[in-house]
Amino acid sequence: MPTYQDKMAGLSSSTDGPPLEAAQSLCFKMDAKLIYKQAPPLHPSWLAHEKAFELLSPKPVVTDPAVNQKRYSDACKALNAELLAGRDKHLTEHIATSDMNLEFKAPSTNAHFIPIRKYLPASSSPATKDVVVYFHGGGLYVGDLDSEDLTCRRMCKTLNCTVYSCTYRKLPLFTADDALSDALYAFKEIATYKRSGKLVVVGSSSGGQLAGQISQHYRNLKSDVIDGVLLRGPVTCNATEGGKYLPTRFKDVHTSMSETFQTSLLSGAALNNENRTTTVLPLEAEDLSGMPRHWIQISTNDIYYSDGACYAEALQNAGAEVRLDVAEGWPHTFWLKAPYLERAVQAENDMLEGLSWLLA
């Protein structure tokens, strides 16, 4: 059976794409360069990747959540194993990993365990002080500690920091509030481990939603425990049903929840008004003053593109220091699904630079 790398052989890896034209701003507060009336053309390298992996072919419909979770987990593990045995073998060296189960005990819920993976530089010394708390994506439906294992390894090895990757209870067996509850509980516990240095919370896709909500929770507590927030393709609002649930100030500038932004990676919204948290979503917060600095990475061909762009703009307007990284012509979290492509490698390196800035 051909490996992932076999299929990638010969595909274009150029990062240069066709020029993109930004739509005119419909809101004076929103940077016109961040608004697209429709999605730009997908990059040729991504189109070649779709063809090589037959991503546009019909997929079997699976309704059993346990089967969906296992398929996703198995695919992530297989890709990780291939990469760690080949190109990314260095990410197995000089890193100690350990899995633990954090017992959740609270009066309002049944006791259960939250799986956490710790990544520690093998050369750990008193100089290793910085802590990163990482929440994976998956729409709150799929994903586990293996989903974004390589990214956590890169953070640990490149920046000599301790990384804690956390998973959480998932839909539909549990609620979005359960997922957020687990994330908050895990973060609170991990925050007590930090003795000095910086602490950054990181989230990818729906994990970005959780990271955003955690950062706002601690801001509301007037706590300075969080030094920075790193979000990648974050979900920050419910823009379904024609944007009827969007805060009024974003209705005219949140444009990506339309068919032209749908791709083979993400063709529909995972979050809607039926499965959202009762806690406000990051973009719904009326007051974002006092938030820590943020580094946010978004892709133009992503239905959640405007989620990240609007959130970055809102944070900046509220006085937060924000750096925004935009991958033009690429779909939602493409760096996870096409890791051999040059642009995916660049996205990971850009992320590491962003994390370095947050930890500085």
Side-chain angles (χ1 to χ4, degrees), residues 118-121 124-134 152 155-164 187 190-191 193-202 225-228 293 352 354-360:
K118 179 181 180 181
Y119 300 80
L120 185 69
S124 179
S125 68
T128 306
K129 300 175 181 178
D130 296 326
V131 173
V132 171
V133 184
Y134 193 101
C152 292
M155 291 176 167
C156 175
K157 188 177 182 70
T158 304
L159 298 174
N160 197 42
C161 57
T162 301
V163 178
Y164 292 90
F187 182 86
I190 293 167
Y193 303 161
K194 189 189 75 133
R195 294 293 179 263
S196 59
K198 298 287 183 68
L199 188 152
V200 172
V201 59
V202 180
V225 67
I226 297 176
D227 297 290
R293 58 182 178 173
L352 292 173
L355 181 57
S356 177
W357 171 67
L358 292 173
L359 292 173

Side-chain angles (χ1 to χ4, degrees), residues 140-209:
L140 304 185
Y141 282 88
V142 296
D144 54 30
L145 297 181
D146 292 307
S147 302
E148 298 169 39
D149 173 70
L150 272 66
T151 294
C152 292
R153 288 176 178 274
R154 288 191 185 95
M155 291 176 167
C156 175
K157 188 177 182 70
T158 304
L159 298 174
N160 197 42
C161 57
T162 301
V163 178
Y164 292 90
S165 176
C166 310
T167 191
Y168 38 84
R169 288 172 290 175
K170 312 251 178 352
L171 296 163
L173 299 180
F174 298 96
T175 68
D177 284 332
D178 290 329
L180 178 57
S181 179
D182 284 358
L184 279 165
Y185 193 89
F187 182 86
K188 180 180 178 181
E189 177 67 20
I190 293 167
T192 66
Y193 303 161
K194 189 189 75 133
R195 294 293 179 263
S196 59
K198 298 287 183 68
L199 188 152
V200 172
V201 59
V202 180
S204 167
S205 189
S206 57
Q209 171 197 319

Side-chain angles (χ1 to χ4, degrees), residues 1-8 52-53 82:
M1 178 178 295
T3 65
Y4 186 100
Q5 192 167 14
D6 291 337
K7 290 186 177 183
M8 293 301 299
F53 285 84
E82 181 179 330

Side-chain angles (χ1 to χ4, degrees), residues 203-238:
S204 167
S205 189
S206 57
Q209 171 197 319
L210 300 177
Q213 290 175 307
I214 289 170
S215 64
Q216 291 186 10
H217 173 78
Y218 277 85
R219 191 290 306 265
N220 293 340
L221 295 177
K222 300 188 183 305
S223 167
D224 59 358
V225 67
I226 297 176
D227 297 290
V229 182
L230 192 152
L231 308 176
R232 309 185 79 186
V235 178
T236 66
C237 62
N238 173 23

